[in-house]
Amino acid sequence: MAGYDIGVRIVSHETGQYLRGIVGIDGWAKFATALKAYADCRPATSSENSATSNAVYLMLMGYVLEDLAKCIIAFRAYTPEITDVTPFEERLRDFRFMRRDGQERRLSTHKLDDLYLANDIGFQVEPIEIDHLKIISIYTLWKGRYPVPLEIADMHSSSEPSFEDLSTTARSVYDRDIAEIERLRSLRA
């Protein structure tokens, strides 16, 4: 079996750099930007395949939004009490954040509504957008990858918003994420 040279990655909270490679705000943002580029390359499909193409687009945009939200939340979590060099996986695995309603969540969540209700997200997300983000999360969990869920309880009604509404929300939240990341980068300089 081929080796992947993962090893233990050590990240500096001050600079956002691995001892080997880059993580931090720039690594998360670059990864999300690359995913968005793939999402935006949606092929022109026939009407019978458009539902599949739309599902894959929403899955990729869900991944993008998840990465960007985690980037912002993790970046804001740095405090001087944290030693400058910490095993990244260890820190990320147990990291928790507070939502605006006082509920605690793990950063490892894949629920976009939880991430965008975080106190530290840095911008306002409207209730209708939170509803849309809940649905986009379903695409990242199964609906963008499989024709049916593994659990019948994960099957939702067919009365979800249109693809246009969901994709508009995804693009709008993406734009605000990027603006917030640029603002955070400017504070670091």
Side-chain angles (χ1 to χ4, degrees):
M1 185 171 201
Y4 291 98
D5 190 33
I6 293 173
V8 174
R9 294 180 283 176
I10 307 297
V11 67
S12 165
H13 293 285
E14 194 65 37
T15 64
Q17 293 188 342
Y18 283 136
L19 295 182
R20 296 184 319 236
I22 296 176
V23 105
I25 198 168
D26 297 320
W28 289 86
K30 286 177 187 175
F31 194 82
T33 302
L35 277 170
K36 175 130 181 352
Y38 280 98
D40 289 342
C41 289
R42 284 179 8 133
T45 59
S46 65
S47 60
E48 66 187 42
N49 291 331
S50 66
T52 302
S53 177
N54 292 349
V56 171
Y57 175 84
L58 291 172
M59 176 188 68
L60 291 174
M61 284 303 293
Y63 293 158
V64 168
L65 297 177
E66 181 179 334
D67 280 354
L68 293 175
K70 289 178 177 183
C71 168
I72 293 167
I73 295 166
F75 183 84
R76 289 172 177 270
Y78 176 77
T79 64
E81 295 82 43
I82 297 173
T83 57
D84 186 45
V85 178
T86 306
F88 183 68
E89 286 87 351
E90 183 180 309
R91 183 109 177 94
L92 190 62
R93 189 177 314 119
D94 297 324
F95 183 78
R96 296 176 185 277
F97 65 93
M98 296 300 287
R99 289 179 13 155
R100 290 185 302 222
D101 61 7
Q103 294 182 39
E104 185 178 76
R105 293 291 189 265
R106 296 188 105 154
L107 190 61
S108 60
T109 185
H110 299 294
K111 294 180 177 180
L112 295 174
D113 54 307
D114 280 340
L115 292 166
Y116 284 93
L117 285 171
N119 286 335
D120 290 334
I121 199 64
F123 56 89
Q124 182 64 36
V125 182
E126 298 300 322
I128 188 70
E129 293 173 316
I130 294 295
D131 291 343
H132 288 175
L133 291 169
K134 283 180 188 176
I135 294 167
I136 294 169
S137 292
I138 296 166
Y139 284 87
T140 66
L141 296 174
W142 72 267
K143 205 169 183 177
R145 301 185 291 166
Y146 313 116
V148 295
L150 293 175
E151 302 290 330
I152 194 71
D154 292 335
M155 192 67 119
H156 299 279
S157 73
S158 60
S159 63
E160 69 182 43
S162 69
F163 169 75
E164 290 74 21
D165 289 344
L166 294 172
S167 61
T168 297
T169 292
R171 287 188 305 273
S172 174
V173 172
Y174 171 84
D175 290 343
R176 284 177 276 162
D177 277 325
I178 294 300
E180 180 63 12
I181 287 169
E182 289 304 318
R183 193 182 76 69
L184 293 171
R185 279 184 178 139
S186 72
L187 298 174
R188 185 177 65 185

